Amino acid sequence: MISTPDQPAPTYIDLQELLATNTQSGAIWSGGLTDLNINLLHFAPGEAIDAHANHEVEVLLVGVAGSSTIVVNDEPFTLTANHALVIPRGATRMITAGPAGCAYLSCHRQRAKLWPTNVPKPSN
């Protein structure tokens, strides 16, 4: 497919190849075009992301490998390969990798860019 500014080409991602060639923890791939933010994250057994809230967007997590426990507003969920969890905007979440580690996709629409608090935003 020929890519143009008005019609970008599709992005094909081999998740298993990315996991096989990247063993570090954290985001091992990031992508998306203009409206979507996608990250492939990988964590070793027991590694965790501290509790935090996203007040701007809903987040879709899709299990790719291993397992993780995701606590959303104090309710635990187990995310494994081929399962997904939609986290509502404003919810507090904490993620802990399971005994074999975990890999998952995090997907959400692009967030608004940071803007200084003392400068008015332009109107669209």
Side-chain angles (χ1 to χ4, degrees):
M1 173 178 209
I2 297 174
S3 177
T4 67
D6 293 335
Q7 186 63 49
T11 303
Y12 181 81
I13 306 127
D14 185 332
L15 300 174
Q16 294 305 316
E17 181 179 331
L18 285 170
L19 287 172
T21 58
N22 295 281
T23 58
Q24 76 270 14
S25 290
I28 60 174
W29 177 85
S30 293
L33 297 173
T34 57
D35 297 332
L36 189 61
N37 180 276
I38 309 165
N39 298 289
L40 176 61
L41 297 111
H42 171 262
F43 293 100
E47 287 188 313
I49 297 175
D50 292 335
H52 63 287
N54 179 331
H55 295 287
E56 289 188 56
V57 295
E58 297 170 331
V59 178
L60 169 67
L61 302 181
V62 180
V64 175
S67 67
S68 59
T69 299
I70 303 170
V71 179
V72 180
N73 292 337
D74 298 322
E75 184 177 352
F77 297 88
T78 300
L79 184 67
T80 57
N82 303 316
H83 291 93
L85 178 65
V86 178
I87 301 173
R89 179 178 59 183
T92 298
R93 69 180 180 268
M94 179 177 71
I95 302 170
T96 305
C102 70
Y104 62 90
L105 285 173
S106 171
C107 310
H108 56 79
R109 70 173 167 79
Q110 289 285 358
R111 293 184 225 180
K113 304 294 182 206
L114 294 177
W115 196 265
T117 57
N118 62 341
V119 177
K121 289 184 180 180
S123 59
N124 291 344

